Amino acid sequence: MFKKLLLFLLISTSIFAQQKKVETSIDTTKNKIGAEFKLTLKTSVDTLSKVVFPKLKNIGALEVIQSYPIDTIKKDDRYELIKKYGLTQFDSGRYTIPSIKILINNKEFLSDSLKVEVANVQVDTLRQKMYDIKEIVKAEDSIGDWWKYLLGIILILGIGAFVYWYTKIRQKKKIEEKVYKTPIEKATSLLNILEKKELWQHGEVKEYYSELTDIARNYIEEAIEIPAMESTTSELIEGLKKASLKKKMKLSQETIENLFAVLKQADLVKFAKSTPLEFEITDDRNKIQKAILTLDEAIPVEVPIEEDTILNEAQKQKQIQILLRKKRNQRIAISIGSVVFLLFATTAYFIATKGFDYVKDNILGHPTKELLEGEWVKSEYGNPGVIVETPKVLKRIDLTKSLPKDGMALIKEMQSFGYGSLSDNFYIMVSTMKYKKEGALDLSKAIESSLKVLETQGAQNMIVKEEDFQTNKGITGKKGYGTFSRIDGENQSSSKIYYEIVLFGQEGGLQQLLILHEEGDKYATELTDRIMNSVELKSAGN
């Protein structure tokens, strides 16, 4: 019985050890009030596994101030996933970070619980004097905010223009919604409405003639059934003559000539910017009205009452279809106008509250911002390996052609990897090399040699600064940084480029990381800082 129990305990322990898939660590167990604890969860899975880390606002009594992106390191046929949370607490005391549930292939695994301490910030009132809180000082008005008021005025004018346009559409819609029994009733009513508008009296002669001839063309199309709206003046008159013969309409030559004269006059007004006299305009209106009445009287009534009723009903249905089509077009126009206005108002609001750069970077897009907010990759490059986190996977490149021949004669092995090019907004390059003869390396001279390579590729007016560099694990190297001018021969322009170059000398070799970007690009600066903070070296013996 004891042996069975012991065997059961050993099996249970083995199963428990196999289920232990999440490693938990923290950068420090004691910190000051408001300082950051960096909690790290690490798990190793195969390439087909699905891992879900929780999105948390609080972990126990500690507040999550930063949820860092997941780092992924590929090792043979497995992935090592690393998730970090930035935690803080604003009250002193001892706290417990509870276990966190991580889903691996929909199965729950728990992290370890940890104890941390938050300490007060000590203030020595004997050595440091205490002062009263200063009164609030009103900031001076800045004349640089004038553009916000201008945007506000533009926004108000835009709203006013939209309301006016919408009101006019509604008024026109009410007029068009009326259904007329006969074409002649519709034409007569529209002529009266046109006169009440007093368009030509207010100088809108072109609009007056356009509506006047549209009324006549609509009547002819509906009553005589010829395509008057799409026809030219000559085509309309010719079609009217043929229709009058077919329908046995008795039309005088005077009626045809008067209608032709008014339509020709309208063409001159609309397309040749002709301006008739007042009596000519009145005369043209009377000619149109008389022509319409004459045409209506000339249409023979040859169908029985029942057929006439059916014809009137068909005309009514046709008018209803025309009105429905116009309503649909109006709804489409109103929808498009509303969307355009909303986009304009939203853009103006964000420019006023966030600034033009914010709108430009987030709406129009910014290449380095997209890199910064994309999915980062942590990988190892070269031999001995340089481990670095980058926004894109670095691809192998050949730099042997850019090095001088006497320098290449000393190199036994060289591997280089990069993203972008020297002419892009952002460029990163990792290079490792081994020398044929081992010996101590002068990293300062190596930086000078690397910068000379940049000069051979067009860098001018180079400013060089140098300082010691140390990785998070304590490996030391040299860092060179500064600016240079990049000349664009095609456009005859130049741009200011910021660079950082870090060199390490390890086991008879040289490891190099180079980053270039346009000076003043805040997103590229954040990219550079994150990349440089992630740099680590893998020992050549591993």
Side-chain angles (χ1 to χ4, degrees):
M1 181 67 182
F2 175 75
K3 291 182 179 179
K4 290 182 179 179
L5 179 62
L6 180 61
L7 180 62
F8 174 78
L9 289 174
L10 288 173
I11 294 173
S12 300
T13 305
S14 176
I15 294 172
F16 178 80
Q18 289 176 1
Q19 290 181 342
K20 185 70 174 177
K21 282 194 173 184
V22 180
E23 297 179 18
T24 311
S25 62
I26 197 164
D27 60 338
T28 178
T29 58
K30 186 174 182 180
N31 227 332
K32 295 179 181 178
I33 288 177
E36 182 186 33
F37 292 94
K38 193 169 286 185
L39 176 66
T40 302
L41 306 179
K42 184 186 297 184
T43 183
S44 179
V45 296
D46 57 54
T47 56
L48 300 177
S49 295
K50 182 180 180 181
V51 180
V52 179
F53 292 95
K55 295 180 180 179
L56 303 170
K57 293 183 177 179
N58 295 282
I59 299 180
L62 278 76
E63 179 182 353
V64 178
I65 58 174
Q66 178 72 41
S67 180
Y68 294 92
I70 299 172
D71 290 338
T72 304
I73 300 175
K74 186 174 182 181
K75 293 184 176 180
D76 298 326
D77 60 340
R78 299 184 66 79
Y79 282 129
E80 186 178 83
L81 305 178
I82 303 170
K83 175 67 177 179
K84 295 182 180 180
Y85 297 94
L87 311 177
T88 191
Q89 175 58 255
F90 296 94
D91 289 327
S92 60
R94 291 182 172 85
Y95 299 90
T96 298
I97 300 175
S99 300
I100 300 172
K101 292 181 181 179
I102 294 92
L103 294 177
I104 303 177
N105 294 327
N106 295 324
K107 187 176 181 180
E108 292 185 355
F109 292 86
L110 296 176
S111 65
D112 296 331
S113 62
L114 300 171
K115 294 186 181 294
V116 294
E117 182 179 354
V118 180
N120 278 315
V121 179
Q122 296 183 356
V123 179
D124 190 347
T125 57
L126 297 177
R127 296 183 180 180
Q128 181 174 336
K129 294 181 180 181
M130 304 298 290
Y131 299 95
D132 292 334
I133 299 174
K134 293 185 178 181
E135 296 181 358
I136 297 174
V137 179
K138 185 179 179 181
E140 296 181 359
D141 294 334
S142 173
I143 61 172
D145 293 338
W146 63 270
W147 59 274
K148 294 183 180 180
Y149 300 106
L150 178 61
L151 284 174
I153 294 171
I154 294 174
L155 187 60
I156 293 171
L157 292 175
I159 295 172
F162 176 76
V163 171
Y164 174 78
W165 171 78
Y166 183 74
T167 305
K168 295 291 286 183
I169 288 291
R170 292 296 298 173
Q171 290 175 349
K172 187 177 180 182
K173 183 179 179 182
K174 288 179 180 179
I175 294 171
E176 293 178 345
E177 279 179 350
K178 183 178 179 181
V179 178
Y180 300 97
K181 293 182 180 179
T182 60
I184 188 62
E185 180 185 345
K186 178 181 178 182
T188 304
S189 179
L190 291 178
L191 283 173
N192 293 332
I193 292 170
L194 176 60
E195 288 306 308
K196 291 177 181 179
K197 291 183 180 180
E198 297 184 347
L199 292 177
W200 67 267
Q201 290 90 336
H202 293 90
E204 298 179 13
V205 178
K206 181 179 178 180
E207 289 76 8
Y208 177 81
Y209 270 92
S210 180
E211 289 194 32
L212 180 65
T213 53
D214 282 349
I215 293 170
R217 286 174 178 270
N218 264 308
Y219 169 78
I220 295 170
E221 184 166 301
E222 293 174 6
I224 306 177
E225 298 179 345
I226 61 174
M229 297 301 294
E230 293 81 10
S231 302
T232 64
T233 298
S234 300
E235 290 172 346
L236 175 59
I237 297 299
E238 189 64 29
L240 185 59
K241 290 178 180 179
K242 291 180 180 180
S244 65
L245 293 174
K246 184 178 180 181
K247 294 179 179 289
K248 298 180 180 180
M249 297 170 57
K250 295 180 180 180
L251 293 179
S252 64
Q253 186 65 24
E254 181 185 1
T255 301
I256 299 293
E257 290 176 354
N258 285 342
L259 182 60
F260 178 76
V262 178
L263 294 176
K264 205 66 178 176
Q265 178 81 292
D267 291 340
L268 292 174
V269 172
K270 289 189 288 185
F271 304 114
K273 297 182 180 180
S274 175
T275 306
L277 300 175
E278 292 183 8
F279 78 90
E280 291 177 316
I281 297 173
T282 304
D283 189 46
D284 287 340
R285 192 267 185 198
N286 294 333
K287 286 180 180 178
I288 285 292
Q289 185 173 20
K290 185 177 179 181
I292 290 173
L293 292 172
T294 303
L295 288 171
D296 192 67
E297 292 174 357
I299 297 174
V301 181
E302 297 177 353
V303 293
I305 296 176
E306 292 182 1
E307 292 184 14
D308 185 50
T309 303
I310 295 172
L311 180 60
N312 288 336
E313 185 64 27
Q315 291 173 345
K316 184 178 179 180
Q317 291 298 324
K318 185 176 181 180
Q319 291 179 17
I320 291 173
Q321 291 297 324
I322 293 171
L323 286 174
L324 290 174
R325 187 164 57 251
K326 289 181 178 179
K327 287 180 181 179
R328 183 189 63 190
N329 293 337
Q330 287 171 4
R331 285 196 297 269
I332 293 172
I334 291 172
S335 300
I336 294 173
S338 300
V339 171
V340 172
F341 172 75
L342 183 62
L343 289 174
F344 170 79
T346 304
T347 303
Y349 170 78
F350 279 109
I351 290 176
T353 56
K354 301 288 188 178
F356 180 74
D357 288 340
Y358 175 87
V359 175
K360 181 186 68 175
D361 294 344
N362 289 275
I363 296 179
L364 301 180
H366 195 288
T368 51
K369 182 177 185 295
E370 292 172 4
L371 284 176
L372 182 63
E373 296 176 349
E375 186 175 349
W376 287 57
V377 180
K378 193 168 188 177
S379 298
E380 178 184 330
Y381 301 95
N383 182 30
V386 177
I387 301 171
V388 64
E389 184 183 30
T390 58
K392 297 288 184 181
V393 176
L394 306 185
K395 297 182 179 180
R396 186 180 295 273
I397 55 177
D398 184 10
L399 293 181
T400 56
K401 296 179 181 179
S402 62
L403 296 177
K405 293 182 179 180
D406 53 348
M408 284 300 301
L410 303 174
I411 296 174
K412 178 182 179 182
E413 178 187 341
M414 181 177 181
Q415 299 182 42
S416 301
F417 307 84
Y419 169 76
S421 66
L422 294 176
S423 60
D424 290 339
N425 294 323
F426 190 83
Y427 174 67
I428 177 172
M429 186 270 290
V430 175
S431 180
T432 62
M433 59 184 72
K434 289 184 178 180
Y435 292 105
K436 294 179 179 178
K437 294 183 179 180
E438 294 188 5
L441 292 175
D442 188 335
L443 295 181
S444 295
K445 289 185 178 179
I447 289 177
E448 291 181 10
S449 299
S450 297
L451 296 180
K452 285 181 180 178
V453 175
L454 288 178
E455 288 180 341
T456 60
Q457 302 203 5
Q460 300 180 12
N461 306 320
M462 185 170 287
I463 298 175
V464 183
K465 298 179 182 179
E466 188 179 311
E467 62 183 33
D468 293 332
F469 183 86
Q470 184 173 320
T471 69
N472 294 328
K473 293 185 178 179
I475 300 176
T476 59
K478 281 287 184 182
K479 173 182 174 181
Y481 62 97
T483 60
F484 63 83
S485 297
R486 182 175 64 192
I487 308 299
D488 187 345
E490 294 183 1
N491 300 323
Q492 296 298 317
S493 61
S494 64
S495 55
K496 202 82 167 181
I497 304 300
Y498 176 82
Y499 71 88
E500 283 192 20
I501 181 171
V502 175
L503 296 181
F504 301 95
Q506 183 178 236
E507 299 192 17
L510 185 69
Q511 298 81 46
Q512 173 180 287
L513 172 63
L514 172 66
I515 298 177
L516 306 175
H517 64 79
E518 290 188 1
E519 188 181 32
D521 187 339
K522 61 180 180 180
Y523 303 112
T525 301
E526 292 183 42
L527 280 168
T528 302
D529 292 342
R530 181 171 174 180
I531 293 170
M532 287 298 181
N533 289 333
S534 70
V535 176
E536 288 297 343
L537 297 181
K538 186 175 180 180
S539 174
N542 291 345

Coordinates of all heavy atoms in Angstrom, one line a residue, residues 23-28 36-42 56 59 62 64 66 68 82-87 97-100 111-114 116:
E23 N 6.5 30.8 -16.5 CA 7.5 31.3 -15.5 C 7.2 32.7 -15.2 O 6.8 33.5 -16.0 CB 8.9 31.2 -16.2 CG 9.4 29.8 -16.5 CD 10.7 29.8 -17.2 OE1 11.4 30.8 -17.1 OE2 11.1 28.8 -17.8
T24 N 7.3 33.0 -13.9 CA 7.0 34.4 -13.4 C 8.2 35.0 -12.7 O 8.9 34.4 -12.0 CB 5.8 34.3 -12.3 OG1 4.8 33.4 -12.8 CG2 5.3 35.6 -12.0
S25 N 8.4 36.3 -13.1 CA 9.5 37.0 -12.5 C 9.2 38.5 -12.4 O 8.2 39.0 -13.0 CB 10.8 36.8 -13.3 OG 10.7 37.3 -14.6
I26 N 9.9 39.3 -11.6 CA 9.7 40.7 -11.4 C 11.0 41.4 -11.3 O 12.0 40.8 -10.7 CB 8.8 41.0 -10.2 CG1 8.2 42.4 -10.3 CG2 9.4 40.7 -8.9 CD1 7.0 42.6 -9.4
D27 N 11.1 42.6 -11.8 CA 12.5 43.2 -11.8 C 12.9 43.7 -10.4 O 14.1 43.7 -10.2 CB 12.4 44.4 -12.8 CG 11.4 45.5 -12.4 OD1 10.5 45.1 -11.6 OD2 11.6 46.6 -12.8
T28 N 12.0 44.0 -9.5 CA 12.4 44.4 -8.2 C 11.2 44.1 -7.2 O 10.0 44.2 -7.7 CB 12.8 45.8 -8.1 OG1 13.1 46.2 -6.7 CG2 11.7 46.7 -8.5
E36 N 7.5 52.1 -11.0 CA 7.0 50.9 -11.8 C 7.7 49.6 -11.4 O 8.9 49.5 -11.3 CB 7.3 51.1 -13.3 CG 6.7 50.0 -14.2 CD 7.1 50.2 -15.7 OE1 8.2 50.7 -15.9 OE2 6.3 49.8 -16.5
F37 N 6.8 48.6 -11.1 CA 7.3 47.2 -11.0 C 7.0 46.6 -12.4 O 5.9 46.7 -13.0 CB 6.4 46.4 -10.0 CG 6.6 46.9 -8.6 CD1 5.8 47.8 -8.0 CD2 7.7 46.3 -7.8 CE1 6.0 48.2 -6.7 CE2 7.9 46.7 -6.5 CZ 7.0 47.7 -5.9
K38 N 8.0 45.9 -12.9 CA 7.8 45.2 -14.2 C 7.7 43.7 -14.0 O 8.7 43.0 -13.8 CB 9.0 45.5 -15.1 CG 8.8 45.2 -16.6 CD 9.9 45.8 -17.5 CE 9.7 47.2 -17.7 NZ 10.7 47.8 -18.7
L39 N 6.4 43.3 -14.2 CA 6.1 41.8 -14.0 C 6.3 41.1 -15.4 O 5.8 41.6 -16.4 CB 4.7 41.7 -13.5 CG 4.2 40.3 -13.4 CD1 4.9 39.5 -12.3 CD2 2.7 40.3 -13.1
T40 N 7.0 40.0 -15.4 CA 7.3 39.3 -16.6 C 6.7 37.9 -16.5 O 7.0 37.1 -15.5 CB 8.8 39.2 -16.9 OG1 9.3 40.5 -16.9 CG2 9.1 38.5 -18.2
L41 N 5.9 37.5 -17.5 CA 5.4 36.1 -17.7 C 6.0 35.5 -18.9 O 6.0 36.1 -20.0 CB 3.9 36.1 -17.8 CG 3.1 36.9 -16.7 CD1 1.6 36.8 -17.0 CD2 3.4 36.3 -15.3
K42 N 6.5 34.3 -18.8 CA 7.2 33.6 -19.9 C 6.7 32.2 -20.1 O 6.5 31.5 -19.1 CB 8.7 33.6 -19.7 CG 9.6 33.1 -20.8 CD 11.0 33.0 -20.5 CE 11.7 34.3 -20.1 NZ 13.1 34.2 -19.9
L56 N -5.6 43.4 -18.5 CA -5.9 43.7 -17.1 C -5.7 45.2 -16.9 O -4.8 45.8 -17.4 CB -5.1 42.9 -16.2 CG -5.2 41.4 -16.3 CD1 -4.1 40.7 -15.5 CD2 -6.6 40.9 -15.9
I59 N -4.0 44.3 -11.2 CA -3.6 43.0 -10.8 C -3.5 43.0 -9.3 O -2.6 43.6 -8.7 CB -2.2 42.6 -11.4 CG1 -2.3 42.6 -12.9 CG2 -1.8 41.2 -10.9 CD1 -1.1 42.2 -13.6
L62 N -2.5 46.4 -7.2 CA -1.6 47.2 -8.0 C -2.3 47.6 -9.3 O -3.0 46.7 -9.9 CB -0.3 46.5 -8.3 CG 0.7 46.6 -7.2 CD1 0.4 45.6 -6.0 CD2 2.1 46.2 -7.7
V64 N -2.3 48.5 -13.3 CA -1.5 48.2 -14.6 C -1.4 49.6 -15.3 O -2.3 50.1 -15.9 CB -2.2 47.2 -15.4 CG1 -1.4 47.0 -16.7 CG2 -2.3 45.9 -14.7
Q66 N 1.0 50.0 -17.8 CA 1.5 49.7 -19.1 C 1.5 48.2 -19.4 O 2.0 47.4 -18.6 CB 3.0 50.2 -19.3 CG 3.6 49.9 -20.6 CD 3.1 50.8 -21.7 OE1 2.9 52.0 -21.5 NE2 2.9 50.2 -22.9
Y68 N 2.9 45.8 -22.0 CA 3.9 45.8 -23.1 C 3.5 44.8 -24.2 O 2.9 43.7 -23.9 CB 5.3 45.5 -22.5 CG 5.8 46.6 -21.6 CD1 5.5 46.5 -20.2 CD2 6.5 47.7 -22.1 CE1 6.0 47.6 -19.4 CE2 6.9 48.7 -21.3 CZ 6.7 48.6 -19.9 OH 7.1 49.6 -19.1
I82 N 7.0 36.1 -24.3 CA 7.3 36.9 -23.1 C 6.4 38.1 -23.0 O 6.3 38.9 -23.9 CB 8.8 37.4 -23.1 CG1 9.7 36.3 -23.2 CG2 9.0 38.2 -21.8 CD1 11.2 36.7 -23.4
K83 N 5.6 38.1 -22.0 CA 4.6 39.2 -21.8 C 5.0 40.0 -20.5 O 5.2 39.4 -19.4 CB 3.2 38.7 -21.6 CG 2.1 39.7 -21.3 CD 1.9 40.7 -22.4 CE 0.8 41.7 -22.1 NZ 0.6 42.6 -23.2
K84 N 5.0 41.3 -20.6 CA 5.4 42.2 -19.4 C 4.3 43.1 -19.1 O 3.6 43.6 -20.0 CB 6.7 42.9 -19.7 CG 7.9 42.0 -19.9 CD 9.2 42.9 -20.1 CE 10.4 42.0 -20.3 NZ 11.6 42.8 -20.5
Y85 N 4.0 43.3 -17.8 CA 3.1 44.3 -17.3 C 3.8 45.3 -16.4 O 4.6 44.9 -15.6 CB 2.0 43.6 -16.5 CG 1.1 42.7 -17.3 CD1 1.4 41.3 -17.3 CD2 0.0 43.1 -17.9 CE1 0.6 40.4 -17.9 CE2 -0.8 42.2 -18.6 CZ -0.5 40.9 -18.6 OH -1.3 40.0 -19.3
G86 N 3.5 46.6 -16.6 CA 4.1 47.6 -15.8 C 3.1 47.9 -14.7 O 1.9 48.3 -14.9
L87 N 3.4 47.7 -13.4 CA 2.5 47.9 -12.2 C 3.0 49.0 -11.3 O 4.2 49.3 -11.3 CB 2.4 46.6 -11.4 CG 2.2 45.3 -12.2 CD1 2.2 44.1 -11.3 CD2 0.9 45.4 -13.0
I97 N 1.1 40.2 -5.4 CA 0.6 40.1 -6.8 C 0.0 38.7 -7.0 O 0.8 37.7 -6.9 CB 1.8 40.3 -7.8 CG1 2.4 41.7 -7.5 CG2 1.3 40.2 -9.2 CD1 3.6 42.0 -8.4
P98 N -1.3 38.6 -7.2 CA -1.9 37.3 -7.3 C -1.5 36.5 -8.6 O -1.0 37.1 -9.5 CB -3.4 37.6 -7.2 CG -3.5 38.9 -7.8 CD -2.3 39.7 -7.4
S99 N -1.9 35.3 -8.6 CA -1.7 34.5 -9.8 C -2.6 35.0 -10.9 O -3.7 35.5 -10.7 CB -2.0 33.0 -9.5 OG -1.2 32.5 -8.5
I100 N -2.1 34.9 -12.2 CA -2.8 35.4 -13.3 C -3.1 34.1 -14.2 O -2.2 33.3 -14.4 CB -2.0 36.4 -14.1 CG1 -1.7 37.6 -13.2 CG2 -2.7 36.9 -15.4 CD1 -0.7 38.6 -13.8
S111 N 0.1 31.8 -13.2 CA 1.5 32.3 -12.9 C 1.7 32.2 -11.4 O 0.7 32.0 -10.6 CB 1.6 33.7 -13.4 OG 0.7 34.5 -12.6
D112 N 2.9 32.4 -10.9 CA 3.2 32.4 -9.5 C 2.8 33.7 -8.8 O 2.8 34.7 -9.5 CB 4.7 32.2 -9.2 CG 5.1 30.8 -9.7 OD1 4.3 29.9 -9.7 OD2 6.3 30.7 -10.1
S113 N 2.3 33.7 -7.6 CA 2.0 34.9 -6.9 C 3.3 35.4 -6.3 O 4.2 34.6 -5.9 CB 1.0 34.7 -5.8 OG 1.5 33.7 -4.8
L114 N 3.5 36.8 -6.2 CA 4.7 37.4 -5.7 C 4.3 38.4 -4.6 O 3.3 39.0 -4.7 CB 5.5 38.0 -6.9 CG 5.9 37.1 -8.0 CD1 6.5 38.0 -9.1 CD2 7.0 36.1 -7.5
V116 N 5.5 42.1 -3.0 CA 6.3 43.3 -3.2 C 6.0 44.3 -2.1 O 5.0 44.2 -1.4 CB 5.9 43.9 -4.6 CG1 6.3 43.0 -5.7 CG2 4.4 44.3 -4.7

